[in-house]
Amino acid sequence: MMYPPPESQSLKTLLPETPILLMGSGPVPVPQEVATASSIVISHLGETMKKIVARVQLMAQYVFQTKTTKIFGISGPSSAGMEMAIGSLLWPGRKVLVLNLGTFSARFAEMARGVGAEVKEILPQGLAPIYIEQVREAFEKDSFDVLTIVQGETSCGVKNIHLKEIVELAKSHGVLTIVDAVCTLSTMPLPMDEWGIDIVFVGGQKGLSAVPGISLIAISENTFQFISNRTQAMPHWCLDPRRAFKFWGLGEYHYTAPVTGILALHEGLRLICEEGLEARFERHLKCSSALQNSLEAMGFSLFTPAEFRLNSVVAINNLSNVNTKELISLLIKECHVEISGAFGLDIIRVGQMGEQSRFENIERVIRALAFGYGKFGHKLDLESGLKVLNISRDSGKK
Ligand SMILES: Cc1ncc(COP(=O)(O)O)c(C=O)c1O
């Protein structure tokens, strides 16, 4: 006897009637072009796909600001990009220095231990980025093969402001660098070649405003050569850059490529190229600053000091006696806006990545926050928040 199928239920009945505006730490709203592209399935091999892959790589070179030809899409989350980088450069007997600011940068250490590497971590002094002096001290005491660093630690809203100098220092010690640009790529400068970074990875669902479940990795030519020469077996088959090159370099079969994700990435990258990186950085800075100033005008305080505050994900101190889980559910239900809570900290987080950085979206968020906190008895000054937002919205307009 066969088990019977479950009762049929259409997706429509499961999705919210009114779409939710995604203003948390990702995924982010996608432009129509990305949505359309991600509904198309074509063959993952053949001439059409080869042309699309070549365009994705060309546009990604611009977004990563690199000339490397070793840019691969990965069927998996940003963490799969991290895993490809770690699995390629580390194995038993090798040593990594992990600059650990929180949840995501700590993941590097977990993965490195998983492949049998020796791990040393530098922690921040309180709520702070990792300072160059801390890294210099670590290099004086010890030698390393690899250094890992996150550009923006989404979990606490801290930006590693010394990233460029830290990479330079690592290079002068012959140490390879892996940069997590998951929440920052295309929202703020990260010129891979100019700064001499060996590997950078990103997910589709944040600054690129594409879809979750696909990521991109850029590996410098020298580092790819180093990986190609390694004699130790690779820990992962899917996440082996040499095998990925078969598809991304030669147009041959590695595994069945994530077709819809690649098409979505194509559109996300195309829109970035059309906007131009300088204009995009400026839009993100303008929108995130406007959000931050409006929040402060309303009566909120921001969690991260301005000196090293990450603009892509803004961390806001929660107000007294508010259960953030209940607040988030309320905003979804009543305002159709989603924001994020945090990993153990009493903060809420609002994203400013890709399509989130639009004034109409910021306005919806601050209105939702005023409404939501109002229900918990906090009277926020929405009028002042909107005034500040509008001044910023109108600035620069002819
Ligand atoms: C900085 C950073 N790194 C890594 C990740 C992991 O990304 P994913 O969930 O796509 O694996 C995230 C996710 O939010 C992130 O913000």
Side-chain angles (χ1 to χ4, degrees):
M1 200 191 75
M2 286 171 69
Y3 295 123
E7 195 186 319
S8 174
Q9 198 176 0
S10 80
L11 189 57
K12 215 172 150 202
T13 63
L14 298 171
L15 290 169
E17 252 172 61
T18 308
I20 307 298
L21 178 65
L22 299 172
M23 294 299 283
S25 55
V28 308
V30 298
Q32 189 52 50
E33 291 88 338
V34 168
T36 305
S38 66
S39 68
I40 301 169
V41 177
I42 60 166
S43 170
H44 69 117
L45 295 172
E47 284 314 305
T48 306
M49 186 47 101
K50 261 194 190 165
K51 280 191 227 156
I52 293 170
V53 161
R55 290 293 306 171
V56 166
Q57 286 175 315
L58 190 67
M59 295 187 289
Q61 279 183 326
Y62 169 68
V63 175
F64 283 110
Q65 285 292 289
T66 180
K67 287 283 174 214
T68 185
T69 55
K70 305 304 179 297
I71 294 183
F72 311 130
I74 300 168
S75 190
S78 326
S79 304
M82 188 187 278
E83 202 139 38
M84 180 183 269
I86 289 287
S88 299
L89 299 186
L90 293 169
W91 53 85
R94 282 179 61 86
K95 201 160 171 182
V96 59
L97 182 61
V98 173
L99 310 194
N100 181 353
L101 283 188
T103 309
F104 296 109
S105 24
R107 197 168 287 178
F108 276 115
E110 284 179 56
M111 288 183 185
R113 288 192 188 98
V115 296
E118 193 180 329
V119 178
K120 175 123 202 244
E121 293 178 62
I122 302 185
L123 298 173
Q125 290 146 354
L127 181 66
I130 303 295
Y131 290 104
I132 183 86
E133 294 73 27
Q134 293 175 274
V135 183
R136 199 170 283 125
E137 200 181 310
F139 281 148
E140 274 162 17
K141 286 196 195 137
D142 231 330
S143 62
F144 299 94
D145 301 294
V146 174
L147 175 143
T148 70
I149 179 167
V150 63
Q151 189 175 27
E153 175 58 61
T154 326
S155 57
C156 57
V158 172
K159 176 171 69 174
N160 257 321
I161 50 175
H162 293 301
L163 191 145
K164 178 175 180 274
E165 293 75 16
I166 288 171
V167 168
E168 244 169 49
L169 183 65
K171 225 179 166 51
S172 71
H173 285 264
V175 174
L176 295 170
T177 49
I178 307 173
V179 174
D180 172 335
V182 173
C183 75
T184 51
L185 197 77
S186 91
T187 74
M188 58 188 276
L190 185 71
M192 178 177 171
D193 285 1
E194 193 188 316
W195 290 2
I197 303 167
D198 297 296
I199 300 187
V200 182
F201 61 89
V202 69
Q205 78 275 22
K206 302 215 187 206
L208 306 186
S209 259
V211 290
I214 181 147
S215 46
L216 271 176
I217 190 166
I219 304 177
S220 73
E221 299 289 351
N222 285 345
T223 308
F224 186 77
Q225 198 52 52
F226 172 82
I227 295 166
S228 301
N229 293 343
R230 75 177 255 179
T231 49
Q232 295 74 10
M234 278 287 180
H236 312 291
W237 188 92
C238 289
L239 302 177
D240 176 351
R242 294 176 301 195
R243 291 186 167 98
F245 183 71
K246 279 176 97 178
F247 177 78
W248 288 87
L250 307 173
E252 293 170 7
Y253 177 72
H254 170 204
Y255 53 75
T256 306
V259 174
T260 51
I262 294 174
L263 300 191
L265 269 184
H266 181 284
E267 289 302 274
L269 292 169
R270 180 175 66 79
L271 294 170
I272 296 174
C273 292
E274 285 176 8
E275 183 174 8
L277 281 178
E278 291 93 337
R280 197 172 175 91
F281 297 153
E282 204 182 303
R283 169 164 66 85
H284 279 84
L285 183 61
K286 184 173 174 180
C287 283
S288 187
S289 307
L291 168 70
Q292 293 167 36
N293 294 337
S294 308
L295 290 167
E296 286 180 326
M298 287 167 75
F300 284 109
S301 68
L302 302 179
F303 179 67
T304 319
E307 183 197 343
F308 46 81
R309 184 179 302 149
L310 180 61
N311 283 325
S312 344
V313 176
V314 178
I316 306 156
N317 287 314
N318 186 29
L319 301 180
S320 57
N321 302 319
V322 176
N323 177 319
T324 53
K325 274 200 181 129
E326 285 173 22
L327 173 82
I328 291 167
S329 301
L330 182 72
L331 298 197
I332 291 174
K333 190 161 168 270
E334 300 293 334
C335 310
H336 315 294
V337 170
E338 182 171 319
I339 59 162
S340 295
F343 305 89
L345 296 166
D346 195 21
I347 56 175
I348 52 168
R349 294 174 304 146
V350 175
Q352 279 299 281
M353 299 172 282
E355 289 307 300
Q356 293 177 322
S357 281
R358 304 280 180 200
F359 278 97
E360 60 275 21
N361 293 338
I362 297 173
E363 183 172 334
R364 273 189 66 186
V365 166
I366 65 169
R367 283 184 185 279
L369 288 173
F371 168 84
Y373 275 102
K375 290 280 173 198
F376 283 91
H378 290 279
K379 174 109 186 72
L380 287 156
D381 187 353
L382 177 62
E383 204 179 308
S384 296
L386 287 172
K387 204 165 149 197
V388 167
L389 187 68
N390 286 331
I391 291 171
S392 181
R393 191 193 324 234
D394 294 339
S395 73
K397 273 191 192 164
K398 297 237 164 71

